[in-house]
Amino acid sequence: MNFIALLVTLVAAFLISSVIGIWLIPFLHKLHYGQTILDIGPSWHKSKQGTPTMGGIMFIIGILIACAVGWCTIRFSSQGLADASGHGTFYLVAGLLLSLGFGAIGFIDDYIKVVKKRNLGLKAWQKSAAQLLIGVLYLAAEYFFAHTTMIWIPFFEEVNVGIFYYPIMLFIIVGAVNSVNLTDGIDGLAASVTMVAGMGFMVIAAIQSFVQMNLMAAALAGGCLGFLVWNFHPAKVFMGDTGSLFLGGMVVALAFGLRMPVILLFVGIVYVIETLSDIIQIGSVKLTGKRVFKMAPIHHHFEMSGWSEVKIVAVFSAVTAAGCLLAVLSLL
């Protein structure tokens, strides 16, 4: 792997994402694209009312440009773009398109919320239908270009699941993307956790010699770090669904590009916990009328228990790092 190209990709994503904020945040303020804080959240979040949202545009642009720069750097180097998967460029391009597709859904949702003043954005069935469509299109492209029905099982081996591959993968795509979206609830959380996940994917891609996925992971980590310049507590901008759904697409694209979708159980351990906490809470309330957590998803539970947002971000990022380490160990 061309270390220089990897470094250039990471730094470019960081610089572009952070510098765009100098222009974008005042622009969003001018347009009054402020976040509306729902009453169902912690009461002290009301102080964040009006903070610009749709800031995910910053790292979307940064990541796309950084991937292009990194690809060109390696493409014209002596090492070239040989990839252990044999389909590296396909997974890079398809993965970015997948992420942009989910980001577009998020953008429409945010636009309806902040411009049309419809607080809940897209209707649930509209969002679900659009996400399923994007997932199906991605899997159709994978069918024609990569021809795979193999699922890698951590600490075990690859298993051919035949036709069941596609419904299983569609469930993973939509579920993982929405899990990342669910994690975006306090200042810096989704960006920090995803930055660590991106670094974990960098290590895994390097071990597996997946060149293009290494570039994508570097761009993801750098883009999230650049966004944190503006999003770390106290946040000056929120990523909105525009950003969180795009990040979800990136995380999924990396797992699929590495031919290891199930590795999301480790690298995305925080996303899994956030989703499970929400499912457990809803199920408990419906079945028993009682709550398991003070508030779900679980980052709000810790808020209600007196943890600061900075502490939650630090702990959740550490948990993600531990999950990434476990993912690496599963390959050895």
Side-chain angles (χ1 to χ4, degrees):
M1 175 65 197
N2 192 317
F3 175 76
I4 299 299
L6 193 64
L7 183 61
V8 167
T9 302
L10 192 150
V11 173
F14 166 73
L15 290 176
I16 295 169
S17 299
S18 57
V19 169
I20 287 176
I22 299 174
W23 163 81
L24 182 63
I25 295 174
F27 180 71
L28 293 174
H29 266 299
K30 186 177 180 180
L31 294 177
H32 303 291
Y33 281 12
Q35 179 74 46
T36 299
I37 305 300
L38 300 178
D39 292 332
I40 58 175
S43 59
W44 53 89
H45 280 201
K46 280 294 182 180
S47 63
K48 302 179 182 184
Q49 183 87 19
T51 302
T53 188
M54 302 171 73
I57 294 170
M58 294 159 57
F59 56 71
I60 291 175
I61 295 173
I63 288 171
L64 293 177
I65 295 177
C67 282
V69 170
W71 187 90
C72 290
T73 302
I74 294 183
R75 175 67 177 81
F76 298 108
S77 72
S78 58
Q79 292 185 355
L81 278 163
D83 193 297
S85 72
H87 299 282
T89 299
F90 161 75
Y91 277 110
L92 175 63
V93 175
L96 291 175
L97 290 175
L98 175 78
S99 304
L100 282 172
F102 281 110
I105 296 173
F107 179 84
I108 295 170
D109 195 43
D110 286 335
Y111 183 83
I112 293 172
K113 291 175 183 175
V114 302
V115 179
K116 299 297 184 182
K117 306 301 180 184
R118 277 171 41 193
N119 217 20
L120 297 178
L122 286 169
K123 296 178 181 178
W125 72 266
Q126 293 173 323
K127 186 180 290 188
S128 297
Q131 291 179 349
L132 286 170
L133 175 61
I134 291 172
V136 168
L137 290 174
Y138 177 81
L139 290 173
E142 186 184 47
Y143 172 80
F144 285 109
F145 288 95
H147 308 291
T148 181
T149 55
M150 305 291 290
I151 295 180
W152 172 79
I153 306 298
F155 299 104
F156 188 55
E157 59 185 15
E158 285 191 321
V159 177
N160 191 334
V161 294
I163 196 171
F164 294 105
Y165 174 86
Y166 296 100
I168 293 172
M169 292 304 105
L170 183 60
F171 173 80
I172 290 176
I173 290 173
V174 176
V177 169
N178 284 296
S179 294
V180 177
N181 178 240
L182 199 62
T183 305
D184 181 34
I186 60 176
D187 296 357
L189 181 58
S192 295
V193 167
T194 306
M195 179 187 70
V196 176
M199 295 170 67
F201 276 125
M202 286 175 63
V203 175
I204 295 169
I207 292 174
Q208 300 292 88
S209 298
F210 280 44
V211 180
Q212 288 88 338
M213 292 303 100
N214 213 334
L215 288 176
M216 182 183 281
L220 176 62
C224 287
L225 182 61
F227 183 67
L228 281 169
V229 170
W230 305 102
N231 182 242
F232 196 77
H233 184 74
K236 297 177 179 65
V237 67
F238 299 141
M239 67 175 66
D241 282 3
T242 303
S244 60
L245 291 180
F246 176 86
L247 291 184
M250 285 289 292
V251 169
V252 166
L254 283 163
F256 274 72
L258 291 168
R259 301 294 188 91
M260 300 175 180
V262 182
I263 207 151
L264 287 171
L265 290 173
F266 297 148
V267 177
I269 182 63
V270 165
Y271 308 139
V272 174
I273 292 171
E274 292 274 23
T275 301
L276 286 177
S277 70
D278 218 32
I279 294 172
I280 291 170
Q281 185 85 323
I282 294 171
S284 179
V285 170
K286 288 186 175 181
L287 292 174
T288 68
K290 298 180 180 179
R291 296 181 178 184
V292 175
F293 306 102
K294 294 181 179 179
M295 184 177 289
I298 199 167
H299 58 259
H300 288 319
H301 169 81
F302 288 113
E303 268 195 293
M304 301 292 283
S305 299
W307 287 28
S308 69
E309 293 187 48
V310 173
K311 181 178 180 179
I312 294 170
V313 169
V315 171
F316 280 38
S317 296
V319 171
T320 301
C324 290
L325 177 60
L326 189 59
V328 171
L329 292 176
S330 72
L331 303 175
L332 303 179

